[in-house]
Amino acid sequence: MSALYTARALATGDGRDGQARTDDGRLVVDLAAPAEMGGSGSGTNPEQLFAAGYAACFHSALRLVARRAKADVTGSSVRAEVDLGAIGKGAFGISVRLEISLPELGAEEAAALVEKAHQACPYSNATRGNVDVELTLATEEAAA
C-alpha cells in the first residue's frame, strides 16, 4: 500500500480515562470509560470514536461508488453502532452495525451500492475477517 495520508494521535493519562489529541491539534478529546463499564461517562471513549470514524469513512466510500454509478444519494447517511464485549480469556473485542439510509434509491439499487461501498471502505477492509460487521438499509421511518 502506498500511503495517501497519515493520521497521528497521542493518548495520555490512564487509557480510557485520559485524553487523546491529534498532532495538528484539531481533535482534542477527554476520555472516560462509559458508566456501563463502571466509569464516569464524563468523556468520550474509543468505541464512540471508532463508530464516528467508521460512519464517516463508510459514508465517504458510499458517495464515491454512488458517483461512479451516477446514483442519487441525496439525503444519505450512515449510523454506526460499536459493541465492546468480552471474547474470553481476559480479551475483548468489538462488533459493528452500520445502518445506511439512501432515501432516493430503491432497495435493490441501494443494496448494490452498500455492498460496493463495503468493498471500497478502508474501515471495512481493515475489519474484514476479524470483526463482525452487520450492514442494514434503514427504512424511511427509522431514518427520520
Side-chain angles (χ1 to χ4, degrees):
M1 180 184 91
S2 177
L4 300 173
Y5 169 75
T6 300
R8 292 175 184 85
L10 175 69
T12 58
D14 191 19
R16 289 183 172 274
D17 291 303
Q19 190 177 74
R21 66 177 57 237
T22 56
D23 66 336
D24 62 6
R26 292 181 186 222
L27 177 69
V28 178
V29 292
D30 290 329
L31 302 171
E36 296 86 345
M37 292 176 56
S40 70
S42 63
T44 194
N45 62 66
E47 292 70 38
Q48 289 172 319
L49 295 169
F50 190 83
Y54 203 158
C57 189
F58 196 92
H59 198 209
S60 180
L62 182 66
R63 295 183 66 79
L64 172 71
V65 299
R67 227 179 356 266
R68 291 176 180 164
K70 296 181 177 29
D72 184 1
V73 292
T74 302
S76 62
S77 64
V78 176
R79 178 186 314 274
E81 295 181 355
V82 174
D83 296 321
L84 171 69
I87 58 174
K89 297 184 182 176
F92 296 88
I94 60 171
S95 63
V96 176
R97 288 179 304 286
L98 299 177
E99 182 182 65
I100 300 96
S101 176
L102 292 162
E104 300 300 320
L105 301 180
E108 192 172 300
E109 185 179 11
L113 279 180
V114 166
E115 185 51 41
K116 286 179 183 174
H118 193 42
Q119 297 307 310
C121 175
Y123 274 59
S124 292
N125 289 324
T127 59
R128 188 170 287 111
N130 63 337
V131 172
D132 289 333
V133 177
E134 178 185 331
L135 305 171
T136 60
L137 285 170
T139 62
E140 286 186 37
E141 298 81 38

